[in-house]
Amino acid sequence: MNHKIKIALTLIAGGALIYLGRKMKNRSSEPKTFTEEGKNTYQENETYFTSDGKIYKNGKQLHFKTPEMNDETPPKINFKSGFIPENYNIQPRNVEYHHKGVRHH
């Protein structure tokens, strides 16, 4: 085969591969958008709430398991009595405030 034909076919094949690669890259990089009932649009992997309190992500409703509340057990309290430690009531000592207009002595 002629050298000129080989070079031309190589350039055409290389250009076609570059074109297809860029086309596939641009197609996959387009962000997907989802529209809710209220005509609001959201991006892919964005969580949003509707007016009725439901949670959606990528156009699908999310369901969360919530733990059941037992009202029989009293709440846990960290201290046993109403005694408050003294370090909560410490007053600042020897604090000298400067009056307005007097900055340096």
Side-chain angles (χ1 to χ4, degrees), residues 15-28:
L17 287 175
I18 291 173
Y19 172 74
L20 291 175
R22 287 186 179 181
K23 187 176 179 181
M24 289 179 64
K25 182 180 176 183
N26 289 340
R27 184 179 348 158
S28 64

Side-chain angles (χ1 to χ4, degrees), residues 55-68:
I55 304 171
Y56 286 86
K57 183 176 182 178
N58 294 340
K60 296 179 182 178
Q61 184 177 3
L62 297 178
H63 301 283
F64 294 105
K65 292 182 180 179
T66 55
E68 295 181 15

Side-chain angles (χ1 to χ4, degrees), residues 83-95:
F83 175 73
I84 299 174
E86 291 181 12
N87 59 351
Y88 287 107
N89 294 328
I90 294 177
Q91 298 294 326
R93 298 179 193 161
N94 299 330
V95 177

